[in-house]
Structure formats: C-alpha cells, structure tokens
C-alpha cells in the first residue's frame, strides 16, 4: 500500500511539514511505502475554467494527478488560515479534480482514497477548525477520512531540535496516525482481494 504525503504549507521550516514528517515516519515504521510531495515543486495558477479551456490543465497538475492515482492513501497536513485549510491545498485539489480525457470518470484521482489529516498552528487551537472544513472538502471529492486526527497547538515551541515533539503523547499520536492509515489500507486491500 502506497501513501502520498503532502503539506498545504510551502513555508521554510513549516510546522505542518514538520508534523507531517512525524506521521510519515510512523507510516514507514508500520511498513508503508510513502512518497512525500512538496507542493512548491508543482506550481499551478489559481483555478479558472477559462484558463483550463484556453490553455489546458497545467503540466504540474498532470504530474501530481498521476502520482495521486498511483497511491491508495493520503497523509495531509494543512495550516489553518482564518479557520479554513490553506488556499494552496484547495487550489491543488481543484486542479486535480479536472478531467484530462473524455472517458475519465469524475473525480478519478480521488477514487477509493483514504486520508489522514494533521495540522499545526502557533495558536492554541492547533488548526482544528481548518481540519473540520478540510474533512468536508475531502468528503465532497469522495475521499474517506480517518476519524482520528492530530492538531498541534503552540507549534512554535512544540518541536525539539531533532524534529521530534517535546510532548511524547503527541509524538506517539502523530506516529500512530500514520501507522493507522497504513493498517486501514491493508485491511481494505485484503477485503477486496
């Protein structure tokens, strides 16, 4: 089972990317093959249907969509901006939702996907409000999301120099979320074999 991991923040030293790395480590320790994607390496304009019709789907979206199709699970980290997931994440998924061929089923890239979500924030809430909206958005795309999540508040002080969290319980929760995603993917695969 392959997992695609991505963060809705491309900021240098992003708290969300650092938290995602912990969940990725947990998935890998459980046996998952994980591909970590930096969305900064897949630049896409703001989605605009006129632009899609006149210029087609951006090459970065085509490449990322191909990766999405090849993976069964998603580990997603999203910062919270004014109570919502990051615009970068939303724009990326909007482009990936577009059909690239006439015969392609709707929402092809998202079919049969299971996701786990995390968020880190300098504030006390840890991005929980944004994850609530992200879950609704992912559901609209047809992506099933695990009920558990990790919301890391006061992220500026949360990380040790080695990348681990000072709070051992939160460290274990993030690692376990990655491992749980892999476990669910395996069970689903066994069910359909």
């Amino acid at each position: 089972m392959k997992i695609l991991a991505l963060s809705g923040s491309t900021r240098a030293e992003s708290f969300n990317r650092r938290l995602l790395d912990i969940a990725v480590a947990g998935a890998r320790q459980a046996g998952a093959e994980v591909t970590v994607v930096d969305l900064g390496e897949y630049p896409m304009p703001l989605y605009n249907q006129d632009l899609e019709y006149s210029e087609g789907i951006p090459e970065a979206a085509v490449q990322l969509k191909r990766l999405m199709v090849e993976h069964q699970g998603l580990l997603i980290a999203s910062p919270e901006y004014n109570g919502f997931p990051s615009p970068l994440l939303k724009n990326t998924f909007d482009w990936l939702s577009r059909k690239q061929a006439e015969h392609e089923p709707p929402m092809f890239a998202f079919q049969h996907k299971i996701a786990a979500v995390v968020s880190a924030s300098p504030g006390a809430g840890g991005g929980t409000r944004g994850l609530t909206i992200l879950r609704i958005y992912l559901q609209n795309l047809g992506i099933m999301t695990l009920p558990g999540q990790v919301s890391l508040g006061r992220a500026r002080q949360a990380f040790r120099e080695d990348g681990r969290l000072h709070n051992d319980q939160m460290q274990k929760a993030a690692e376990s979320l990655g491992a749980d995603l892999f476990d669910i993917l395996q069970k689903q695969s066994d069910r359909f074999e």
Side-chain angles (χ1 to χ4, degrees), residues 3-193:
I3 296 172
L4 189 66
L6 52 129
S7 171
S9 172
T10 56
R11 186 179 66 81
E13 300 302 316
S14 164
F15 302 131
N16 281 276
R17 176 57 194 265
R18 292 164 77 182
L19 182 58
L20 181 67
D21 288 343
I22 295 170
V24 165
R28 286 180 173 154
Q29 287 167 6
E33 180 182 336
V34 184
T35 304
V36 180
V37 168
D38 178 353
L39 292 182
E41 296 176 3
Y42 295 86
M44 299 173 214
L46 284 175
Y47 177 73
N48 178 313
Q49 198 170 49
D50 290 340
L51 184 65
E52 178 188 358
Y53 288 164
S54 65
E55 298 184 24
I57 295 175
E59 184 56 31
V62 172
Q63 292 172 7
L64 192 54
K65 186 173 184 177
R66 191 175 304 124
L67 267 179
M68 180 83 68
V69 170
E70 293 170 358
H71 293 75
Q72 297 77 36
L74 301 173
L75 262 174
I76 304 171
S78 179
E80 178 183 284
Y81 296 147
N82 300 316
F84 286 83
S86 76
L88 172 63
L89 203 54
K90 169 85 166 54
N91 190 60
T92 298
F93 279 88
D94 285 347
W95 273 114
L96 297 184
S97 72
R98 306 309 296 168
K99 291 175 83 168
Q100 291 178 359
E102 196 58 41
H103 66 278
E104 184 179 293
M107 304 296 177
F108 175 65
F110 310 122
Q111 288 183 350
H112 313 296
K113 296 289 185 281
I114 301 175
V117 296
V118 301
S119 183
S121 169
T128 302
R129 293 176 306 164
L131 289 184
T132 299
I133 303 299
L134 179 60
R135 286 175 174 280
I136 294 168
Y137 180 62
L138 294 175
Q139 180 182 352
N140 288 345
L141 296 174
I143 299 171
M144 186 181 98
T145 309
L146 296 186
Q149 66 184 35
V150 174
S151 298
L152 178 67
R154 309 205 190 292
R156 202 176 311 281
Q157 299 85 27
F159 294 91
R160 301 176 185 170
E161 284 187 23
D162 65 1
R164 294 178 61 82
L165 294 170
H166 288 293
N167 183 319
D168 291 335
Q169 273 188 307
M170 192 63 83
Q171 174 77 27
K172 184 165 177 32
E175 291 171 344
S176 295
L177 187 64
D180 289 347
L181 176 60
F182 179 61
D183 184 52
I184 292 290
L185 290 169
Q186 279 193 306
K187 286 177 180 170
Q188 179 178 308
S189 174
D190 292 344
R191 197 173 135 214
F192 291 109
E193 283 184 357

